[in-house]
Every structure is written in structure tokens, then in C-alpha cells.
Coordinates of all heavy atoms in Angstrom, one line a residue:
A289 N 11.1 -2.6 -17.4 CA 11.5 -4.0 -17.3 C 12.7 -4.3 -16.4 O 12.7 -5.1 -15.5 CB 11.7 -4.7 -18.6
L290 N 13.7 -3.4 -16.6 CA 14.9 -3.5 -15.7 C 14.6 -3.2 -14.3 O 15.0 -3.9 -13.3 CB 16.0 -2.6 -16.2 CG 16.7 -3.0 -17.5 CD1 17.6 -1.9 -18.0 CD2 17.4 -4.3 -17.3
L291 N 13.8 -2.1 -14.1 CA 13.4 -1.7 -12.7 C 12.6 -2.9 -12.0 O 12.9 -3.2 -10.9 CB 12.5 -0.5 -12.8 CG 11.9 -0.1 -11.4 CD1 12.9 0.4 -10.5 CD2 10.9 1.0 -11.7
F292 N 11.6 -3.4 -12.7 CA 10.8 -4.4 -12.1 C 11.5 -5.7 -11.9 O 11.3 -6.5 -11.0 CB 9.5 -4.6 -12.9 CG 8.5 -3.5 -12.7 CD1 7.6 -3.2 -13.7 CD2 8.5 -2.7 -11.6 CE1 6.7 -2.2 -13.6 CE2 7.7 -1.6 -11.5 CZ 6.8 -1.4 -12.5
G293 N 12.5 -6.0 -12.9 CA 13.3 -7.2 -12.7 C 14.2 -7.2 -11.6 O 14.5 -8.2 -10.9
A294 N 14.7 -6.0 -11.2 CA 15.6 -5.8 -10.1 C 14.9 -5.6 -8.8 O 15.5 -5.7 -7.7 CB 16.5 -4.6 -10.4
N295 N 13.6 -5.4 -8.9 CA 12.9 -5.1 -7.6 C 11.6 -5.9 -7.6 O 10.6 -5.5 -8.1 CB 12.6 -3.6 -7.6 CG 11.9 -3.2 -6.3 OD1 11.4 -4.0 -5.5 ND2 11.9 -1.9 -6.0
P296 N 11.6 -7.1 -7.0 CA 10.4 -7.9 -7.0 C 9.2 -7.3 -6.4 O 8.1 -7.5 -6.9 CB 10.8 -9.1 -6.1 CG 12.3 -9.2 -6.1 CD 12.7 -7.7 -6.3
A297 N 9.3 -6.4 -5.4 CA 8.2 -5.7 -4.8 C 7.6 -4.8 -5.8 O 6.3 -4.7 -6.0 CB 8.6 -5.0 -3.5
A298 N 8.4 -4.1 -6.6 CA 7.9 -3.2 -7.7 C 7.2 -4.1 -8.7 O 6.2 -3.6 -9.3 CB 9.0 -2.4 -8.3
A299 N 7.7 -5.3 -9.0 CA 7.1 -6.1 -10.0 C 5.7 -6.6 -9.5 O 4.7 -6.6 -10.3 CB 8.0 -7.3 -10.3
D300 N 5.6 -6.9 -8.2 CA 4.3 -7.3 -7.7 C 3.3 -6.1 -7.8 O 2.1 -6.3 -8.1 CB 4.4 -7.7 -6.2 CG 5.3 -8.9 -6.0 OD1 5.5 -9.7 -7.0 OD2 5.7 -9.1 -4.9
I301 N 3.7 -4.9 -7.5 CA 2.9 -3.7 -7.6 C 2.5 -3.5 -9.1 O 1.3 -3.2 -9.4 CB 3.5 -2.5 -7.0 CG1 3.6 -2.7 -5.5 CG2 2.8 -1.2 -7.4 CD1 4.4 -1.7 -4.7
A302 N 3.4 -3.7 -10.0 CA 3.0 -3.5 -11.4 C 2.0 -4.5 -11.8 O 1.1 -4.2 -12.6 CB 4.3 -3.6 -12.3
A303 N 2.2 -5.8 -11.4 CA 1.2 -6.8 -11.7 C -0.2 -6.5 -11.1 O -1.2 -6.7 -11.7 CB 1.7 -8.2 -11.2
A304 N -0.2 -6.0 -9.8 CA -1.4 -5.7 -9.2 C -2.1 -4.5 -9.9 O -3.3 -4.5 -10.1 CB -1.2 -5.3 -7.7
D305 N -1.3 -3.5 -10.3 CA -1.8 -2.4 -11.0 C -2.5 -2.8 -12.4 O -3.6 -2.4 -12.7 CB -0.7 -1.3 -11.3 CG -1.3 -0.1 -11.8 OD1 -2.4 0.4 -11.5 OD2 -0.6 0.6 -12.6
A306 N -1.8 -3.7 -13.0 CA -2.3 -4.3 -14.3 C -3.6 -5.1 -14.1 O -4.4 -5.2 -15.0 CB -1.3 -5.1 -15.0
A307 N -3.8 -5.6 -12.9 CA -4.9 -6.5 -12.7 C -6.2 -5.7 -12.3 O -7.3 -6.3 -12.1 CB -4.6 -7.5 -11.6
R308 N -6.1 -4.4 -12.2 CA -7.3 -3.6 -11.7 C -8.4 -3.7 -12.7 O -8.3 -3.5 -13.9 CB -6.9 -2.2 -11.5 CG -5.9 -2.0 -10.4 CD -5.5 -0.5 -10.2 NE -5.1 0.1 -11.4 CZ -5.7 1.3 -11.8 NH1 -6.6 1.9 -11.1 NH2 -5.3 1.8 -13.0
A309 N -9.6 -4.0 -12.1 CA -10.9 -4.0 -12.9 C -12.0 -3.7 -12.0 O -11.8 -3.8 -10.7 CB -11.1 -5.4 -13.6
G310 N -13.1 -3.4 -12.5 CA -14.3 -3.1 -11.6 C -14.0 -2.1 -10.6 O -13.4 -1.0 -10.9
D311 N -14.5 -2.3 -9.4 CA -14.2 -1.3 -8.3 C -12.7 -1.0 -8.1 O -12.3 0.1 -7.6 CB -14.7 -1.8 -6.9 CG -16.2 -1.6 -6.7 OD1 -16.8 -0.9 -7.6 OD2 -16.8 -2.1 -5.7
M312 N -11.9 -2.0 -8.4 CA -10.5 -1.8 -8.2 C -9.8 -0.8 -9.1 O -8.7 -0.3 -8.9 CB -9.7 -3.1 -8.3 CG -10.1 -4.1 -7.2 SD -9.7 -3.5 -5.5 CE -11.3 -3.1 -4.9
Q313 N -10.6 -0.3 -10.1 CA -10.1 0.8 -11.0 C -10.0 2.1 -10.2 O -9.2 3.0 -10.6 CB -11.0 0.9 -12.2 CG -10.9 -0.2 -13.2 CD -11.8 -0.1 -14.4 OE1 -12.6 0.9 -14.5 NE2 -11.7 -1.0 -15.2
K314 N -10.6 2.2 -9.1 CA -10.5 3.3 -8.2 C -9.3 3.3 -7.3 O -8.9 4.3 -6.7 CB -11.7 3.5 -7.3 CG -13.1 3.7 -8.0 CD -14.2 3.9 -7.0 CE -14.6 2.7 -6.2 NZ -15.8 2.9 -5.3
L315 N -8.6 2.1 -7.3 CA -7.4 1.9 -6.5 C -6.2 2.5 -7.3 O -5.9 2.1 -8.4 CB -7.1 0.4 -6.3 CG -5.9 0.0 -5.4 CD1 -6.1 0.6 -4.0 CD2 -5.8 -1.4 -5.4
N316 N -5.5 3.5 -6.7 CA -4.4 4.2 -7.3 C -3.1 3.8 -6.6 O -2.9 4.0 -5.4 CB -4.6 5.7 -7.2 CG -5.8 6.2 -7.9 OD1 -5.9 6.0 -9.1 ND2 -6.7 6.8 -7.2
F317 N -2.2 3.2 -7.5 CA -0.9 2.8 -7.0 C 0.0 4.0 -7.2 O -0.1 4.8 -8.1 CB -0.3 1.6 -7.8 CG -1.0 0.3 -7.3 CD1 -2.1 -0.1 -8.0 CD2 -0.5 -0.4 -6.3 CE1 -2.7 -1.4 -7.6 CE2 -1.1 -1.6 -5.9 CZ -2.2 -2.1 -6.5
A318 N 1.0 4.1 -6.3 CA 2.0 5.2 -6.3 C 3.3 4.7 -5.7 O 3.4 3.6 -5.2 CB 1.5 6.4 -5.5
E319 N 4.3 5.5 -5.9 CA 5.6 5.2 -5.3 C 5.5 5.0 -3.8 O 4.7 5.8 -3.1 CB 6.6 6.3 -5.6 CG 8.0 6.0 -5.2 CD 9.0 7.1 -5.6 OE1 8.8 7.7 -6.7 OE2 10.0 7.3 -4.9
A320 N 6.2 4.0 -3.3 CA 6.1 3.7 -1.8 C 6.4 5.0 -1.0 O 7.4 5.7 -1.3 CB 7.0 2.6 -1.5
M321 N 5.6 5.2 0.0 CA 5.7 6.4 0.8 C 5.6 6.0 2.3 O 4.8 5.3 2.7 CB 4.5 7.4 0.5 CG 4.6 8.7 1.2 SD 3.4 9.9 0.6 CE 1.9 8.9 0.6
D322 N 6.6 6.5 3.1 CA 6.6 6.3 4.5 C 5.4 6.9 5.2 O 4.9 7.9 4.7 CB 7.9 6.8 5.1 CG 9.1 6.0 4.8 OD1 9.0 4.8 4.4 OD2 10.2 6.6 4.7
L323 N 5.0 6.3 6.2 CA 3.8 6.8 7.0 C 4.2 7.6 8.1 O 5.3 7.4 8.7 CB 3.0 5.6 7.5 CG 2.4 4.6 6.5 CD1 1.6 3.6 7.2 CD2 1.5 5.4 5.5
P324 N 3.4 8.6 8.5 CA 3.7 9.3 9.7 C 3.5 8.4 10.9 O 2.7 7.5 10.9 CB 2.6 10.5 9.7 CG 1.5 9.9 8.8 CD 2.1 9.0 7.8
K325 N 4.2 8.8 12.0 CA 4.1 8.0 13.2 C 2.8 8.5 14.0 O 2.6 9.7 14.0 CB 5.3 8.2 14.1 CG 6.6 7.7 13.5 CD 6.6 6.2 13.3 CE 7.8 5.7 12.7 NZ 7.7 4.4 12.2
A326 N 2.1 7.6 14.5 CA 0.9 8.0 15.3 C 0.5 6.8 16.2 O 0.7 5.6 15.8 CB -0.3 8.3 14.3
E327 N -0.1 7.2 17.3 CA -0.5 6.1 18.2 C -2.0 5.9 17.9 O -2.8 6.9 17.8 CB -0.4 6.6 19.7 CG 1.1 6.6 20.1 CD 1.2 7.0 21.6 OE1 0.2 7.5 22.2 OE2 2.3 6.8 22.1
L328 N -2.4 4.6 17.9 CA -3.7 4.2 17.7 C -4.2 3.4 18.9 O -3.3 2.8 19.6 CB -3.9 3.4 16.4 CG -3.5 4.0 15.1 CD1 -3.3 3.1 14.0 CD2 -4.4 5.2 14.8
L329 N -5.4 3.5 19.2 CA -6.0 2.8 20.4 C -6.8 1.6 20.0 O -7.5 1.6 19.0 CB -6.8 3.7 21.2 CG -6.2 5.0 21.7 CD1 -7.2 5.9 22.4 CD2 -5.0 4.7 22.6
D330 N -6.7 0.5 20.8 CA -7.6 -0.6 20.5 C -8.9 -0.4 21.3 O -9.1 0.7 21.9 CB -7.0 -2.0 20.9 CG -6.5 -2.1 22.3 OD1 -7.1 -1.5 23.2 OD2 -5.6 -2.9 22.6
L331 N -9.8 -1.3 21.4 CA -11.1 -1.1 22.1 C -10.9 -1.0 23.6 O -11.8 -0.5 24.3 CB -12.1 -2.2 21.7 CG -12.5 -2.2 20.3 CD1 -13.5 -3.4 20.0 CD2 -13.1 -0.9 19.8
E332 N -9.8 -1.5 24.1 CA -9.6 -1.4 25.6 C -8.6 -0.2 25.9 O -8.0 -0.2 27.0 CB -9.0 -2.7 26.1 CG -10.0 -3.8 26.1 CD -10.2 -4.5 24.7 OE1 -9.2 -4.5 24.0 OE2 -11.3 -4.9 24.4
D333 N -8.4 0.7 25.0 CA -7.5 1.8 25.1 C -6.0 1.4 25.2 O -5.2 2.2 25.5 CB -7.8 2.7 26.3 CG -9.1 3.4 26.2 OD1 -9.5 3.7 25.0 OD2 -9.8 3.7 27.2
G334 N -5.7 0.2 24.7 CA -4.2 -0.2 24.6 C -3.6 0.6 23.4 O -4.4 0.9 22.4
V335 N -2.4 1.0 23.5 CA -1.7 1.8 22.5 C -1.1 0.9 21.4 O -0.4 0.0 21.8 CB -0.7 2.8 23.1 CG1 0.0 3.6 22.0 CG2 -1.4 3.7 24.1
H336 N -1.3 1.2 20.2 CA -0.7 0.4 19.1 C -0.1 1.4 18.0 O -0.4 2.6 18.0 CB -1.7 -0.5 18.5 CG -2.3 -1.5 19.4 ND1 -1.6 -2.7 19.6 CD2 -3.3 -1.4 20.2 CE1 -2.3 -3.4 20.5 NE2 -3.3 -2.6 20.9

């Protein structure tokens, strides 16, 4: 309660985790993790 009260984003994740039903039971929440850097291409080969 203290953690989620001090961190609104964590509270949102806790609420979303609690709301899982149906197909969403396959959705696994975890501690926020940084993503690796990578270049992605659009349909015209633009870099994003």
C-alpha cells in the first residue's frame, strides 16, 4: 500500500493486474524494465 501510494504508475499497474480476466490472464506484469536500443524501419525504410 505504501509503495503504490507513493508511486501512481505502480498503482496503475497493480489495478491493471487485478483487472485481468479471460485472455488477459495470459498477460504477465513485471517490474519495469528498460528496452534495448534498436533501429526499426517503416514501410518506406525510414528509421525509427
Side-chain angles (χ1 to χ4, degrees):
L290 288 171
L291 171 69
F292 290 153
N295 185 343
D300 294 344
I301 290 171
D305 189 35
R308 292 179 313 128
D311 277 354
M312 293 299 106
Q313 291 177 358
K314 299 186 291 185
L315 182 64
N316 295 302
F317 284 92
E319 187 173 328
M321 182 172 51
D322 290 332
L323 297 180
K325 298 294 180 197
E327 290 184 348
L328 300 168
L329 303 175
D330 61 27
L331 295 178
E332 290 81 32
D333 291 331
V335 178
H336 297 273

